[in-house]
Amino acid sequence: MAVRVNLDAMIKREDLDLTDKDPAQITIGSQLKLYELEQTSASFHILRKPDFQRETSNWDPEKIAGIIISFLDGDLIPSIIVWRSSKSGKLFVIDGAHRLSALIAWINSDYGDGPISRAFFSNVIDDNQLKAAKKTRDLVDAKVGSYQDLKGYVIKPEGSPDPETLLRARNGSALSITLQDVKGDVARAEKSFLKINQSATPIDPTELIIIEARRKANAIAARALLRAGTGHPYWGAFSDDRKEKITKLSSEIYEHLFQPILQYPIRTLSLPAAGHSVTPDSLDLIFNLVNHVNDAFDSSKKKNEARWKVTIAGADIDLEDDEDGEMTIGFLTKVLDTSSRVFGPATGSLALHPGVYCYGATGRFQPTAFFAAIDLVKYLEIHRKFDAFTESRSKFEEFLMRYRFFINQIVGSYGSQLKGLPALNKMYQIILSEIIKGRDDASVVNKIASDGELSFIRDITDDDRKYGRNFSKETRSAIYLREALAKELTCGICNSRLHSKSITIDHKQRKQDGGVGSPDNGQLAHPYCNNGFKEKMVHASATSGT
């Protein structure tokens, strides 16, 4: 996974006031000195990113070091484009937030792990962010030196290790960051941002859609989930109780889906169901999840233009801006209920094991399989097949394990995330139906391949098995998953694998039948097996007189 340094805390984010119709009459100076970006400087505290700015978390350590070196060497760096509010006096960065954030990070020695970031993220800094920060700090220190060291060399030149470093130290004191004002009202500021960022480095399509839909429940919910309810509160205009509810729901969902932090190569079966939360594709997955679970969809046929609708009671209605937070809470609640029902410890949860359902043949997290697990549970609920699935679950999952590469073939043919989902859903339904009928592997595979949408499915050939002499990270992960899942704890009722986050303890002989709480009368079980399936089986047995 590429290292991405999270500098989103370096410049506070704030929504532009739509009533701020006039630009500030007093413009800020055309330049900023480095010392004005120190956390103790007044200038630092008036800097803002507008809500429609992209997240400042897409640069790697080398690029951050590069922008610092370029500035200190006097290379040409494009101007930072700003807009000053007439009502608040704050200075909004319309373009150049990444460049400015890199310099702020260096000046304040905070690459996503320092005091500014910890306050911004409520001290929730995951291991990947800490590692990225350390790698960046070490690289910058090696190539440039710390900001504080360079300041010291200006005062005491004899302390400088070499002439190049001393020159950079003096440049840092003499050179300035060039600012360029956007003239016009708040609408002009937003229009300028979109125009600039689509002509230079285009905004990711999902991020652009979320920017344009930033006041709608699906966009607010996705942004809340991305950071577990920390970071900039895009929901900050709601009442205190609703803000608190959104933060709490986001944290709980994040815990269900993204904890513990995924590390490659895989060395544990305590796997997050939704993979990484900090990859370039994370926002796309989370936004798709929120929309998929809540039946929200884009009805526009035009590229890069979304018209959001939501299906409620069979009717498609326009998704309006969320003015009070109620709909955002509703969206998040449904995501939490779904994640709990599919992967979590909630009573009645099937508690599907992520290692079985969400990771492909190469050992990598597979987004399409993640969504297919959600849809499988929905299918079972609609068709009242929980019990039939539970009775055949062990055989169903064993088939998935043996033919895990079928998922990769579907993704290779149709595309990732939701693109390959209909085909994978169909394959799961075929597999389950055939296994319930007692069919063997060959018959199931033939049935899958006979379907028009799945006719490309084939068994692995010798060419597919060719590898180099060394084990890649993916191969190491695949080997670990194969070996560890073969020895994983199983449910005492359905005999399928248990995930550590969703284990219940079941009385073999029920308490109402005289069973006691002794170790000999206890067994591990899935929540549904323990609290749903077993009770139905006991009732059915009693009814039949057996």
Side-chain angles (χ1 to χ4, degrees):
M1 184 186 71
V3 175
R4 292 291 182 265
V5 186
N6 194 328
L7 303 182
D8 208 39
M10 297 302 101
I11 304 173
K12 288 184 179 180
R13 193 179 294 272
E14 188 172 306
D15 201 4
L16 292 179
D17 187 345
L18 296 179
T19 66
D20 195 355
K21 297 297 184 183
D22 300 315
Q25 297 304 308
I26 302 173
T27 58
I28 192 166
S30 60
Q31 295 181 330
L32 272 177
K33 293 287 190 180
L34 286 187
Y35 69 82
E36 293 181 276
L37 297 177
E38 294 178 12
Q39 193 179 3
T40 55
S41 167
S43 297
F44 172 82
H45 290 279
I46 67 169
L47 284 174
R48 293 292 185 274
K49 284 187 300 229
D51 260 5
F52 50 73
Q53 259 282 15
R54 68 181 78 189
E55 297 271 333
T56 319
S57 56
N58 292 324
W59 279 13
D60 57 32
E62 289 74 18
K63 198 162 187 177
I64 291 170
I67 199 70
I68 296 167
I69 292 170
S70 293
F71 177 82
L72 295 176
D73 287 349
D75 295 340
L76 178 63
I77 295 177
S79 299
I80 306 297
I81 299 177
V82 297
W83 181 84
R84 188 166 183 265
S85 167
S86 63
K87 294 187 71 173
S88 68
K90 293 171 183 174
L91 192 68
F92 287 86
V93 180
I94 302 302
D95 183 60
H98 274 88
R99 282 169 270 145
L100 197 56
S101 294
L103 292 172
I104 292 171
W106 176 60
I107 290 164
N108 295 283
S109 189
D110 187 338
Y111 299 98
D113 62 344
I116 300 172
S117 294
R118 289 187 179 279
F120 182 74
F121 293 113
S122 302
N123 210 36
V124 180
I125 310 291
D126 67 44
D127 289 345
N128 289 313
Q129 188 168 327
L130 291 173
K131 289 177 181 177
K134 183 180 185 306
K135 182 174 181 179
T136 306
R137 184 176 289 103
D138 290 347
L139 180 66
V140 173
D141 285 352
K143 289 191 172 185
V144 182
S146 74
Y147 172 74
Q148 291 300 330
D149 282 348
L150 265 64
K151 278 183 66 176
Y153 300 151
V154 175
I155 299 170
K156 295 183 178 181
E158 64 275 10
S160 177
D162 56 72
E164 181 185 39
T165 301
L166 180 59
L167 176 59
R168 285 175 172 171
R170 288 170 173 164
N171 285 346
S173 297
L175 299 176
S176 300
I177 302 159
T178 303
L179 304 180
Q180 180 180 335
D181 282 342
V182 171
K183 304 296 184 182
D185 61 11
V186 64
R188 178 68 181 273
E190 182 170 353
K191 184 178 180 181
S192 297
F193 165 78
L194 293 172
K195 183 177 180 180
I196 291 166
N197 284 277
Q198 288 303 89
S199 60
T201 303
I203 306 172
D204 174 82
T206 299
E207 193 166 5
L208 179 59
I209 289 171
I210 289 178
I211 287 170
E212 294 176 336
R214 63 185 179 277
R215 295 183 179 88
K216 299 188 186 300
N218 56 345
I220 298 171
R223 283 176 147 172
L225 285 180
L226 186 66
R227 304 291 177 204
T230 68
H232 174 68
Y234 294 93
W235 51 97
F238 303 147
S239 63
D240 287 345
D241 62 325
R242 289 183 177 174
K243 286 191 290 187
E244 183 179 350
K245 182 70 172 176
I246 288 170
T247 299
K248 184 174 185 295
L249 284 168
S250 301
S251 178
E252 289 181 24
I253 297 167
Y254 191 92
E255 172 66 28
H256 273 303
L257 296 180
F258 293 106
Q259 292 291 342
I261 301 298
L262 178 60
Q263 302 285 350
Y264 285 115
I266 292 171
R267 289 289 183 269
T268 175
L269 287 181
S270 187
L271 296 165
H276 278 295
S277 65
V278 293
T279 68
D281 296 328
S282 298
L283 184 60
D284 198 25
L285 182 140
I286 290 170
F287 192 50
N288 280 336
L289 172 64
V290 171
N291 289 323
H292 189 66
V293 167
N294 287 281
D295 296 317
F297 63 96
D298 174 14
S299 63
S300 174
K301 302 301 181 185
K302 296 181 180 179
K303 186 178 181 181
N304 293 333
E305 179 183 311
R307 289 188 59 193
W308 289 102
K309 290 183 177 293
V310 61
T311 303
I312 299 177
D316 297 337
I317 62 174
D318 290 331
L319 182 61
E320 303 292 344
D321 289 353
D322 189 2
E323 302 293 345
D324 58 11
E326 182 178 356
M327 183 167 283
T328 299
I329 290 172
F331 271 37
L332 287 170
T333 299
K334 195 163 184 180
V335 175
L336 178 60
D337 290 346
T338 298
S339 64
S340 299
R341 184 76 160 154
V342 178
F343 302 108
T347 300
S349 170
L350 288 179
L352 302 184
H353 196 303
V356 176
Y357 287 90
C358 302
Y359 291 76
T362 62
R364 305 290 296 186
F365 169 71
Q366 180 49 261
T368 307
F370 165 73
F371 284 108
I374 291 172
D375 279 6
L376 174 63
V377 175
K378 183 178 180 180
Y379 167 81
L380 297 174
E381 287 178 326
I382 291 173
H383 296 279
R384 299 185 178 184
K385 289 181 175 286
F386 264 43
D387 294 340
F389 172 75
T390 301
E391 290 174 348
S392 303
R393 177 171 177 168
S394 179
K395 293 180 179 178
F396 178 80
E397 292 184 359
E398 289 302 324
F399 184 93
L400 294 187
M401 294 290 295
R402 286 193 292 273
Y403 296 91
R404 193 187 286 270
F405 52 87
F406 283 177
I407 296 173
N408 297 72
Q409 291 179 15
I410 288 175
V411 172
S413 180
Y414 285 98
S416 186
Q417 294 220 22
L418 300 182
K419 294 175 183 176
L421 184 58
L424 187 52
N425 285 343
K426 177 174 279 192
M427 187 183 80
Y428 279 1
Q429 291 167 24
I430 291 172
I431 294 169
L432 181 59
S433 175
E434 294 301 295
I435 285 179
I436 289 174
K437 294 175 185 176
R439 306 287 195 245
D440 60 16
D441 278 13
S443 299
V444 177
V445 172
N446 287 336
K447 187 70 173 180
I448 293 170
S450 67
D451 185 275
E453 292 181 52
L454 302 169
S455 58
F456 56 86
I457 292 291
R458 60 185 175 85
D459 208 339
I460 285 185
T461 65
D462 289 338
D463 286 338
D464 295 319
R465 293 189 175 93
K466 290 180 179 178
Y467 297 98
R469 295 176 64 86
N470 297 318
F471 294 125
S472 67
K473 282 187 177 181
E474 289 189 345
T475 302
R476 291 173 189 270
S477 295
I479 293 169
Y480 179 85
L481 282 177
R482 182 193 67 202
E483 298 295 321
L485 283 171
K487 301 176 178 66
E488 180 65 302
L489 294 171
T490 57
C491 173
I493 297 172
C494 75
N495 202 36
S496 299
R497 291 169 180 82
L498 292 162
H499 191 236
S500 59
K501 292 174 69 173
S502 51
I503 293 174
T504 67
I505 306 297
D506 172 52
H507 284 77
K508 293 180 182 178
Q509 182 182 26
R510 300 185 309 161
K511 287 185 288 185
Q512 54 266 53
D513 296 332
V516 296
S518 67
D520 289 342
N521 193 44
Q523 63 182 350
L524 306 180
H526 297 112
Y528 179 74
C529 291
N530 187 354
N531 298 299
F533 180 74
K534 182 176 179 179
E535 293 301 315
K536 291 180 181 179
M537 294 303 99
V538 170
H539 177 73
S541 177
T543 302
S544 65
T546 60

mmCIF file of all heavy atoms in Angstrom, residues 56-74:
data_model
loop_
_atom_site.group_PDB
_atom_site.id
_atom_site.type_symbol
_atom_site.label_atom_id
_atom_site.label_comp_id
_atom_site.label_asym_id
_atom_site.label_seq_id
_atom_site.Cartn_x
_atom_site.Cartn_y
_atom_site.Cartn_z
ATOM 1 N N THR A 56 -6.537 16.832 2.694
ATOM 2 C CA THR A 56 -5.099 17.013 2.502
ATOM 3 C C THR A 56 -4.375 15.771 2.996
ATOM 4 O O THR A 56 -3.711 15.773 4.024
ATOM 5 C CB THR A 56 -4.619 18.273 3.253
ATOM 6 O OG1 THR A 56 -5.582 19.298 3.070
ATOM 7 C CG2 THR A 56 -3.298 18.762 2.698
ATOM 8 N N SER A 57 -4.530 14.682 2.251
ATOM 9 C CA SER A 57 -3.942 13.412 2.708
ATOM 10 C C SER A 57 -3.519 12.535 1.535
ATOM 11 O O SER A 57 -3.510 11.327 1.645
ATOM 12 C CB SER A 57 -4.951 12.655 3.570
ATOM 13 O OG SER A 57 -6.164 12.462 2.863
ATOM 14 N N ASN A 58 -3.141 13.160 0.420
ATOM 15 C CA ASN A 58 -2.831 12.380 -0.772
ATOM 16 C C ASN A 58 -1.356 12.399 -1.163
ATOM 17 O O ASN A 58 -0.988 11.851 -2.183
ATOM 18 C CB ASN A 58 -3.655 12.886 -1.967
ATOM 19 C CG ASN A 58 -5.131 12.590 -1.797
ATOM 20 O OD1 ASN A 58 -5.492 11.562 -1.252
ATOM 21 N ND2 ASN A 58 -5.980 13.504 -2.230
ATOM 22 N N TRP A 59 -0.501 13.052 -0.379
ATOM 23 C CA TRP A 59 0.912 13.133 -0.739
ATOM 24 C C TRP A 59 1.726 12.107 0.027
ATOM 25 O O TRP A 59 1.445 11.793 1.182
ATOM 26 C CB TRP A 59 1.439 14.540 -0.451
ATOM 27 C CG TRP A 59 1.104 15.530 -1.536
ATOM 28 C CD1 TRP A 59 0.221 15.357 -2.558
ATOM 29 C CD2 TRP A 59 1.653 16.835 -1.685
ATOM 30 N NE1 TRP A 59 0.177 16.480 -3.335
ATOM 31 C CE2 TRP A 59 1.043 17.411 -2.836
ATOM 32 C CE3 TRP A 59 2.575 17.590 -0.972
ATOM 33 C CZ2 TRP A 59 1.349 18.694 -3.270
ATOM 34 C CZ3 TRP A 59 2.878 18.870 -1.417
ATOM 35 C CH2 TRP A 59 2.280 19.412 -2.554
ATOM 36 N N ASP A 60 2.795 11.637 -0.626
ATOM 37 C CA ASP A 60 3.693 10.691 0.030
ATOM 38 C C ASP A 60 4.867 11.463 0.652
ATOM 39 O O ASP A 60 5.029 12.662 0.415
ATOM 40 C CB ASP A 60 4.173 9.621 -0.948
ATOM 41 C CG ASP A 60 4.866 10.215 -2.175
ATOM 42 O OD1 ASP A 60 5.505 11.277 -2.039
ATOM 43 O OD2 ASP A 60 4.781 9.620 -3.253
ATOM 44 N N PRO A 61 5.671 10.811 1.476
ATOM 45 C CA PRO A 61 6.782 11.503 2.144
ATOM 46 C C PRO A 61 7.740 12.201 1.179
ATOM 47 O O PRO A 61 8.214 13.311 1.456
ATOM 48 C CB PRO A 61 7.480 10.373 2.905
ATOM 49 C CG PRO A 61 6.387 9.383 3.186
ATOM 50 C CD PRO A 61 5.514 9.422 1.966
ATOM 51 N N GLU A 62 8.035 11.566 0.053
ATOM 52 C CA GLU A 62 8.977 12.145 -0.904
ATOM 53 C C GLU A 62 8.453 13.462 -1.471
ATOM 54 O O GLU A 62 9.206 14.421 -1.664
ATOM 55 C CB GLU A 62 9.250 11.153 -2.044
ATOM 56 C CG GLU A 62 10.089 9.947 -1.646
ATOM 57 C CD GLU A 62 9.313 8.935 -0.803
ATOM 58 O OE1 GLU A 62 8.058 8.977 -0.812
ATOM 59 O OE2 GLU A 62 9.953 8.110 -0.127
ATOM 60 N N LYS A 63 7.147 13.519 -1.726
ATOM 61 C CA LYS A 63 6.585 14.746 -2.303
ATOM 62 C C LYS A 63 6.592 15.877 -1.280
ATOM 63 O O LYS A 63 6.809 17.040 -1.619
ATOM 64 C CB LYS A 63 5.164 14.479 -2.805
ATOM 65 C CG LYS A 63 4.674 15.530 -3.786
ATOM 66 C CD LYS A 63 3.490 15.035 -4.582
ATOM 67 C CE LYS A 63 3.125 16.036 -5.689
ATOM 68 N NZ LYS A 63 2.016 15.558 -6.527
ATOM 69 N N ILE A 64 6.323 15.533 -0.015
ATOM 70 C CA ILE A 64 6.352 16.551 1.040
ATOM 71 C C ILE A 64 7.771 17.092 1.204
ATOM 72 O O ILE A 64 7.990 18.309 1.277
ATOM 73 C CB ILE A 64 5.827 15.962 2.360
ATOM 74 C CG1 ILE A 64 4.320 15.692 2.234
ATOM 75 C CG2 ILE A 64 6.099 16.908 3.537
ATOM 76 C CD1 ILE A 64 3.733 14.908 3.374
ATOM 77 N N ALA A 65 8.751 16.191 1.247
ATOM 78 C CA ALA A 65 10.143 16.636 1.338
ATOM 79 C C ALA A 65 10.519 17.476 0.125
ATOM 80 O O ALA A 65 11.219 18.496 0.245
ATOM 81 C CB ALA A 65 11.074 15.424 1.454
ATOM 82 N N GLY A 66 10.009 17.088 -1.034
ATOM 83 C CA GLY A 66 10.325 17.815 -2.265
ATOM 84 C C GLY A 66 9.835 19.246 -2.263
ATOM 85 O O GLY A 66 10.547 20.161 -2.707
ATOM 86 N N ILE A 67 8.615 19.474 -1.766
ATOM 87 C CA ILE A 67 8.077 20.841 -1.763
ATOM 88 C C ILE A 67 8.838 21.711 -0.778
ATOM 89 O O ILE A 67 9.076 22.911 -1.017
ATOM 90 C CB ILE A 67 6.562 20.843 -1.459
ATOM 91 C CG1 ILE A 67 5.937 22.172 -1.914
ATOM 92 C CG2 ILE A 67 6.266 20.625 -0.008
ATOM 93 C CD1 ILE A 67 5.869 22.348 -3.388
ATOM 94 N N ILE A 68 9.278 21.138 0.352
ATOM 95 C CA ILE A 68 10.064 21.898 1.333
ATOM 96 C C ILE A 68 11.416 22.286 0.738
ATOM 97 O O ILE A 68 11.858 23.436 0.833
ATOM 98 C CB ILE A 68 10.247 21.065 2.618
ATOM 99 C CG1 ILE A 68 8.895 20.813 3.285
ATOM 100 C CG2 ILE A 68 11.197 21.777 3.586
ATOM 101 C CD1 ILE A 68 8.929 19.759 4.383
ATOM 102 N N ILE A 69 12.064 21.322 0.077
ATOM 103 C CA ILE A 69 13.361 21.593 -0.550
ATOM 104 C C ILE A 69 13.222 22.635 -1.651
ATOM 105 O O ILE A 69 14.033 23.565 -1.765
ATOM 106 C CB ILE A 69 13.966 20.287 -1.099
ATOM 107 C CG1 ILE A 69 14.362 19.359 0.054
ATOM 108 C CG2 ILE A 69 15.171 20.574 -1.985
ATOM 109 C CD1 ILE A 69 14.749 17.955 -0.389
ATOM 110 N N SER A 70 12.162 22.504 -2.461
ATOM 111 C CA SER A 70 11.956 23.452 -3.557
ATOM 112 C C SER A 70 11.814 24.877 -3.029
ATOM 113 O O SER A 70 12.365 25.825 -3.590
ATOM 114 C CB SER A 70 10.713 23.067 -4.362
ATOM 115 O OG SER A 70 10.920 21.851 -5.038
ATOM 116 N N PHE A 71 11.064 25.038 -1.936
ATOM 117 C CA PHE A 71 10.886 26.375 -1.367
ATOM 118 C C PHE A 71 12.219 26.919 -0.849
ATOM 119 O O PHE A 71 12.606 28.059 -1.143
ATOM 120 C CB PHE A 71 9.865 26.347 -0.241
ATOM 121 C CG PHE A 71 9.692 27.672 0.442
ATOM 122 C CD1 PHE A 71 8.865 28.649 -0.108
ATOM 123 C CD2 PHE A 71 10.377 27.962 1.617
ATOM 124 C CE1 PHE A 71 8.723 29.883 0.501
ATOM 125 C CE2 PHE A 71 10.237 29.187 2.233
ATOM 126 C CZ PHE A 71 9.411 30.153 1.674
ATOM 127 N N LEU A 72 12.951 26.104 -0.090
ATOM 128 C CA LEU A 72 14.195 26.564 0.520
ATOM 129 C C LEU A 72 15.290 26.806 -0.511
ATOM 130 O O LEU A 72 16.203 27.613 -0.272
ATOM 131 C CB LEU A 72 14.674 25.558 1.559
ATOM 132 C CG LEU A 72 13.774 25.383 2.793
ATOM 133 C CD1 LEU A 72 14.316 24.289 3.698
ATOM 134 C CD2 LEU A 72 13.652 26.699 3.558
ATOM 135 N N ASP A 73 15.206 26.132 -1.664
ATOM 136 C CA ASP A 73 16.187 26.342 -2.729
ATOM 137 C C ASP A 73 15.802 27.486 -3.649
ATOM 138 O O ASP A 73 16.522 27.785 -4.616
ATOM 139 C CB ASP A 73 16.368 25.062 -3.546
ATOM 140 C CG ASP A 73 17.145 23.995 -2.775
ATOM 141 O OD1 ASP A 73 17.714 24.330 -1.719
ATOM 142 O OD2 ASP A 73 17.170 22.834 -3.221
ATOM 143 N N GLY A 74 14.649 28.115 -3.385
ATOM 144 C CA GLY A 74 14.231 29.253 -4.187
ATOM 145 C C GLY A 74 13.639 28.878 -5.527
ATOM 146 O O GLY A 74 13.540 29.733 -6.426
#
